[in-house]
Amino acid sequence: MDYVSALVPPVVMAVFFIGLIRVIVKTQGGANKAKEDAAVDAALAHTESGHGAARDIKA
């Protein structure tokens, strides 16, 4: 029975890890992709415009 108690934790962790990977893969793309892409584009535009303004002030 020692081998069963030794194998249970890795098996449980493997099952949860596989479930996590499946959730990550399923949530990629789809309806949320457009919202996520828009949020990233807005953040990048805000960052770039902020750095550009700081560069203009220093010059």
Side-chain angles (χ1 to χ4, degrees):
M1 285 307 274
D2 289 337
Y3 62 90
V4 173
S5 62
L7 290 176
V8 168
V11 169
V12 171
M13 289 191 321
V15 168
F16 281 118
F17 182 72
I18 290 169
L20 175 67
I21 297 302
R22 288 186 64 182
V23 167
I24 290 172
V25 168
K26 282 186 177 183
T27 57
Q28 298 299 309
N32 292 332
K33 184 170 177 34
K35 286 195 304 186
E36 292 171 358
D37 288 346
V40 170
D41 290 341
L44 287 173
H46 179 70
T47 302
E48 289 173 357
S49 67
H51 288 306
R55 200 177 313 127
D56 292 341
I57 292 172
K58 290 179 182 177

